[in-house]
Amino acid sequence: MCGIMGYVGPRPAVNVLVGGLRRLEYRGYDSAGIALGTTDGIHLVKRAGPLRVLSEELEQNPPPPAAIGIGHTRWTTHGGVSDRNAHPHLDCREQIAVVHNGIIENASELRLELESRGHELRSETDSELVAHLLEEVEGDLLHRLQVVAKRCEGAYALLAFDLAEGLHMCAVRRTSPIAIGFNEAEVFVASGAIALAPWLERCIYLDDGEIADLRPGRADVFRLADLAPIEKAFHEISVSGDLPDAGRHRHFYMKELYEQPSAWRSVMQGRLDDSGNVDLADTGLTHEALRAVQRLLFLAMGSSLHASQMAVERLQQFAQIPAEAILASEFRDTRTFLEPGTLAVAVSQSGETIDTLAALRHARDLGATVLGLVNAPSSTIARESDFVFDLRAGTEISVASTKAFTTQAVALELLVSALAAAHGRVDTTGRLAALRAAPAIAEDFLMEFRLPEDLIARCAAAPGVIFLGRGQDLSLAREGSLKLKELSYIWSEAFAAGELKHGPLALVDSRVPVIVCATDQKHAPKLRNSLAEASARGAYGVSVGADLHATIHLGLPMHDSLAAYLLGALPLQLLAVSVAEARGCSIDQPRNLAKSVTVE
Ligand code: M6R
């Protein structure tokens, strides 16, 4: 989603802004812009399209030198994709510049008010309103932004400067993330620490309801409500300062897909010993903490939800602990109480997904203890959790998740085993031996595996693709379907195999591939029947895992249910990218999607 970047200091601000925005590109956006504070006023350049378009414009027409500036990549919410709607936005006098991430929910009322008072609004965005509201308030920028932020309802982050105040800018956070770093002569602001990494080793994160006063060499943080000062802790910026690079791969999606075996090793490192014992001490989950868990509630979206659904299956089977996985966006509206002893597990690659964060807060308010399972240990979800399980999968750039999804499945299996052991349930040692062996076998599999060309061509030409599964394979079917639709824009849907005859079978004809996930051998007989029913209606049948006598069978080199699940994800991920490439789709940044979903 939108990326914010700000800089005050002696370097040419334009270089820092464009450099930072480039590192935020992976979040997904559709236009970009910068505003520089110069001696001749605010120099504004905004372009619809990729950041490349803005950079080329800046190369052809170099902007005047500036020691202060803000930049933005916009993911459209209010108003179409255009130069005009791109950020930053200015007030009527062109003295104040603002960038914004999030949604201002009372924008219509504010717009009417501002227009009735004679403001000239130049865009259709909610964001521009902030610049005009700031224009109307008296006092220094910090006080003015405090007043304006209190008038704006919704979830957002704002960054602004006023030419009249020199080398000074202010940022405020209500839900959308803001990271700030500084050294003796400079101050940097961004939507994520990844954008600060080339220049800084540590940063602070604004929490909700905080406002920051930023000048070269300092960042003073206050409570938005009353401007009471707040001491902030510094966090190490653990990502490299080099621009992320897909290396020998065609794109980040493929790079990350191939990184899966090493990500699985990394999440197991120090947590699973050779005898199969699991130790989650680094997460804070001691034996006593695990013993106290009476039920689990997984809160997540997208691929993270699918990994959670897999964990629910495993928990019921191996730990006999009640568990459910809920779409985080539905949780707040549907739950008013939780059972005592509930551990809410917020599963999120980014650790910033707003729906998951809001669900976590609601679960905490209802009395749950919270475990954050994230790939970003300094993220908001991690900071607001009682326990933090760091996924250690390495930065995931591609919007469509690969390594984070399967590594979540590994991490959750460790959690299942730790809970089973703490509650004196089954001996899980044998199963975990297969888990330890999975990375090496997956590496060989990835080297040798080739998808049949006919399968790729059939899917690329299909009006729709159906995925089926049972038990753990239903979550894998959902993940396969999500990958295919995200990357190739082909309509697809996953169903529980038992549901087929109750309606979805009407969709099946000879043009519709039916892909059956069968990584858990115990469901093979019933899945074979489902596939036979679809094939009898002309479907092009595909099986992944157990041999179901399909037209195309994608066999796997491991039969242990968890290891097969992890390996089974690989052909589905490869199928999605192969079909997308055959259709000429953008792989790392699919249309309309964002990596980190920070608006509801
Ligand atoms: O960062 P999160 O894991 O919280 O993100 C959740 C979903 O937005 C994410 O999994 C999304 O569905 C991916 N694009 C899936 O490939």
Side-chain angles (χ1 to χ4, degrees), residues 77-79 100 102-117 121 123-130 132-133 148 151-156:
T77 56
H78 287 57
H100 164 223
I103 293 180
I104 296 171
E105 285 168 1
N106 56 337
S108 316
E109 299 98 273
L110 293 173
R111 177 173 282 274
L112 286 176
E113 273 182 37
L114 285 163
E115 280 172 344
S116 72
R117 291 199 290 270
L121 299 172
S123 75
E124 301 151 279
T125 65
D126 51 350
S127 318
E128 185 189 352
L129 307 175
V130 175
H132 295 273
L133 288 168
V148 170
R151 292 213 54 203
C152 295
E153 290 161 18
Y156 51 80

Side-chain angles (χ1 to χ4, degrees), residues 33-36 41-47 86-90 94 97:
I34 57 162
L36 300 169
I42 293 181
H43 185 84
L44 185 68
V45 189
K46 317 196 284 184
R47 290 290 177 271
H87 298 210
H89 292 286
L90 307 185
E94 303 193 348

Side-chain angles (χ1 to χ4, degrees), residues 301-304 347-353 356 381 399-402 408 479 482-483 486 593-597:
M301 302 299 293
S303 298
S304 297
V347 182
S348 171
Q349 188 285 129
S350 61
E352 300 293 349
T353 298
T356 310
I381 288 178
V399 166
S401 182
T402 51
Q408 283 166 345
E479 179 61 12
L482 177 64
K483 279 300 83 85
E486 275 186 297
L593 300 182
K595 181 68 181 163
S596 178
V597 179

Side-chain angles (χ1 to χ4, degrees), residues 163-448:
L163 263 190
E165 299 201 12
L167 300 182
H168 174 215
M169 56 176 61
C170 291
V172 63
R173 170 179 172 154
R174 264 202 184 148
T175 306
S176 301
I178 290 267
I180 297 169
F182 56 90
N183 55 35
E184 280 172 10
E186 306 169 281
V187 64
F188 301 75
V189 191
S191 295
I194 191 169
L196 307 180
W199 304 284
L200 299 163
E201 282 169 8
R202 35 184 230 153
C203 67
I204 58 175
Y205 294 98
L206 284 192
D207 286 310
D208 274 359
E210 291 181 354
I211 186 165
D213 191 77
L214 309 167
R215 298 167 196 271
R218 60 186 299 171
D220 298 303
V221 179
F222 305 92
R223 208 156 57 191
L224 177 63
D226 54 7
L227 294 189
I230 296 176
E231 275 297 311
K232 298 297 292 183
F234 282 88
H235 295 258
E236 296 302 314
I237 299 175
S238 50
V239 285
S240 150
D242 298 334
L243 205 57
D245 179 7
R248 65 189 170 86
H249 295 280
R250 295 192 290 282
H251 30 64
F252 284 102
Y253 180 88
M254 216 54 159
K255 172 172 181 271
E256 290 158 7
L257 193 160
Y258 278 87
E259 282 171 353
Q260 290 179 97
S262 76
W264 305 344
R265 281 193 190 99
S266 164
V267 74
M268 288 188 271
Q269 178 75 39
R271 292 170 175 152
L272 176 60
D273 70 17
D274 291 344
S275 323
N277 298 312
V278 176
D279 181 353
L280 299 183
D282 72 291
T283 66
L285 285 167
T286 57
H287 183 76
E288 290 66 40
L290 291 164
R291 289 278 309 159
V293 177
Q294 297 305 313
R295 55 180 59 238
L296 284 103
L297 170 69
F298 294 92
L299 303 165
M301 302 299 293
S303 298
S304 297
L305 180 68
H306 301 152
S308 304
Q309 288 164 339
M310 165 69 172
V312 168
E313 289 290 321
R314 314 284 295 178
L315 270 164
Q316 323 261 14
Q317 269 185 57
F318 299 108
Q320 288 113 44
I321 295 177
E324 59 182 327
I326 303 183
L327 199 61
S329 58
E330 289 294 307
F331 178 64
R332 261 194 308 182
D333 299 333
T334 54
R335 293 301 172 96
T336 52
F337 69 93
L338 289 176
E339 307 280 342
T342 298
L343 177 69
V345 188
V347 182
S348 171
Q349 188 285 129
S350 61
E352 300 293 349
T353 298
I354 182 103
D355 300 296
T356 310
L357 178 60
L360 175 163
R361 289 173 178 165
H362 186 55
R364 204 183 42 208
D365 290 347
L366 296 179
T369 307
V370 179
L371 166 66
L373 198 161
V374 295
N375 200 26
S378 299
S379 59
T380 311
I381 288 178
R383 298 201 308 276
E384 296 198 13
S385 295
D386 302 298
F387 306 106
V388 179
F389 197 137
D390 180 3
L391 206 53
R392 303 186 199 142
T395 309
E396 193 178 67
I397 297 284
S398 160
V399 166
S401 182
T402 51
K403 63 176 178 175
F405 165 68
T406 51
T407 310
Q408 283 166 345
V410 175
L412 290 168
E413 183 70 4
L414 297 180
L415 179 64
V416 170
S417 291
L419 281 162
H423 287 257
R425 304 278 151 78
V426 292
D427 173 12
T428 54
T429 319
R431 201 176 76 250
L432 295 180
L435 182 57
R436 277 205 310 277
I441 295 176
E443 269 158 2
D444 292 346
F445 180 67
L446 280 170
M447 287 233 285
E448 283 156 26

Side-chain angles (χ1 to χ4, degrees), residues 534-552:
S535 302
R537 272 89 190 166
Y540 180 81
V542 182
S543 55
V544 181
D547 187 352
L548 306 179
H549 310 150
T551 311
I552 300 279

